[in-house]
């Protein structure tokens, strides 16, 4: 006989399951527009193992704290961070950008952020939260920041310049080496938003793609944000903000009299060790070589999708830099809506009049083969082809 308690539990789980059934899942292969993916199986296991840990009070979990240090060590090496650097675990790209701009504001006492038109919308939040002013730099025809325009805008009011290493809309990379040089000469804080590209560009380089340098090898780069819950194959929420100088963390630290450490840096207080353990487990399991293979196969699928899409007579916004494709359309919103009605989830980019495909590790050539006829039929119906 089922006890009352287990009946109650069953009811709750039935309810959860019913609602979860409404969600789209990565394993269906039909999510073509997300920058996240199904966490690697090893991440799922590690995540559950660390559910009760709290890195906000590290004396309670010295083991998890050590995992965090080792994980930051992995990211440091990936990004060629100097010995003077420090890593701050964050919940993702938004918190990474907020934290970087917080440091820039504290160090400089200034309020202007110069950023490309393609910057992520998290900077709008930053402007509002920290009363900062955004100065947008137009893009060149290759959809990257116009360096000449940037030069003109740097002034004594500048708190930071932001460059993108993997834009949200198209996966483009700004001319980070030139930006780094300018910021270094002008003594201006230079944050690289590599939330998406941080786990892609280092491996594209190894695979002999022509991509610019974007990391701490460039002496003008002051901070880099990189997300494990995007191309790091780990579980949400996890990103890292790498900071060139450890002492800069002081500027965003407060005394924390009730917990096991004297000062706490950053935005969050209580924070789970589970996503950190998950990201570390994946990093250990895949290693740099595993990530390189993952990027290689994502790029193969990207090239395949690119070929199949152009064969339909559709045009791409530009030749993809990484595993992100923009398909130019007259009515991107309508196409996205119609594709969604047929179970395919893509994102529109209104500003560029295109739809965005992100070829994450869960997307295979077979999935592209399934998708192409649906895209073709939809585009024919709405008069795109
Ligand atoms: N910086 C860049 C370059 C990004 O692309 C993103 C997110 C962020 C910062 C912010 O990161 P968090 O969302 O982790 O705070 N880019 C994607 C976007 O806004 C995020 C995303 C992921 C969207 C999965 C949809 C989705 O299903 O489009």
């Amino acid at each position: 006989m089922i006890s009352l308690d287990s009946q109650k539990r069953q009811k709750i789980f039935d309810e959860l399951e019913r609602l979860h059934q409404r969600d789209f899942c990565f394993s269906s292969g039909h999510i073509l527009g997300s920058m996240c993916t199904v966490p690697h199986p090893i991440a799922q296991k590690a995540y559950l193992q660390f559910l009760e840990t709290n890195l906000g009070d590290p004396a309670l979990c010295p083991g998890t704290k050590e995992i965090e240090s080792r994980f930051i060590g992995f990211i440091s090496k990936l990004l060629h961070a100097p010995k003077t650097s420090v890593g701050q675990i964050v919940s993702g790209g938004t918190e990474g950008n907020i934290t970087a701009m917080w440091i820039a504001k504290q160090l400089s006492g200034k309020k202007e952020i110069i950023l490309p038109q393609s910057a992520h919308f998290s900077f709008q939040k930053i402007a509002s939260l920290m009363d900062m002013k955004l100065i947008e730099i137009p893009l060149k025809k290759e959809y990257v920041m116009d360096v000449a325009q940037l030069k003109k805008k740097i002034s004594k009011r500048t708190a930071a310049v932001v460059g993108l290493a993997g834009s949200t809309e198209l996966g483009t990379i700004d001319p980070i080496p030139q930006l780094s040089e300018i910021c270094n000469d002008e003594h201006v804080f230079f944050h690289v938003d590599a939330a998406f590209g941080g786990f892609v560009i280092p491996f594209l380089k190894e695979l002999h793609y022509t991509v610019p340098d974007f990391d701490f090898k460039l002496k003008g780069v002051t901070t880099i944000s990189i997300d494990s819950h995007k191309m790091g194959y780990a579980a949400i929420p996890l990103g890292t903000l790498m900071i060139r100088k450890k002492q800069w963390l002081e500027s965003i630290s407060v005394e924390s009299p009730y917990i096991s450490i004297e000062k706490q840096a950053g935005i969050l207080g209580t924070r789970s060790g589970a996503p950190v353990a998950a990201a570390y487990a994946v990093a250990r399991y895949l290693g740099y070589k595993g990530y390189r293979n993952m990027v290689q196969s994502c790029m193969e699928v990207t090239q395949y999708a690119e070929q199949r899409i152009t064969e339909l007579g559709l045009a791409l916004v530009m030749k993809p830099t990484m595993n992100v494709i923009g398909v130019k359309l007259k009515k991107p919103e309508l196409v996205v809506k119609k594709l969604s009605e047929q179970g395919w989830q893509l994102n529109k980019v209104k500003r560029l009049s295109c739809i965005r495909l992100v070829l994450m590790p869960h997307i295979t050539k077979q999935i592209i083969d399934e998708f192409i006829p649906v895209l073709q039929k939809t585009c024919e119906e709405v008069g795109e082809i």
Side-chain angles (χ1 to χ4, degrees), residues 16-58:
L16 293 181
E17 188 49 37
R18 259 196 326 277
L19 293 171
H20 195 25
Q21 287 291 331
R22 286 204 216 152
D23 298 343
F24 293 93
C25 58
F26 291 113
S27 56
S28 72
H30 286 200
I31 303 181
L32 270 172
S34 174
M35 288 193 153
C36 295
T37 190
V38 58
H40 192 284
I42 208 155
Q44 303 186 22
K45 191 162 189 286
Y47 197 100
L48 294 176
Q49 195 183 353
F50 285 80
L51 270 190
E52 69 169 52
T53 58
N54 172 19
L55 282 164
D57 198 0

Side-chain angles (χ1 to χ4, degrees), residues 34-36 92-94 97 120-122 164 166 168 193 195 227 229-230 356:
S34 174
M35 288 193 153
C36 295
T94 301
N97 288 340
H120 186 256
F121 57 76
S122 46
L164 284 170
T168 313
D193 183 349
D227 281 358
H229 68 212
K230 297 191 170 76
R356 181 190 74 179

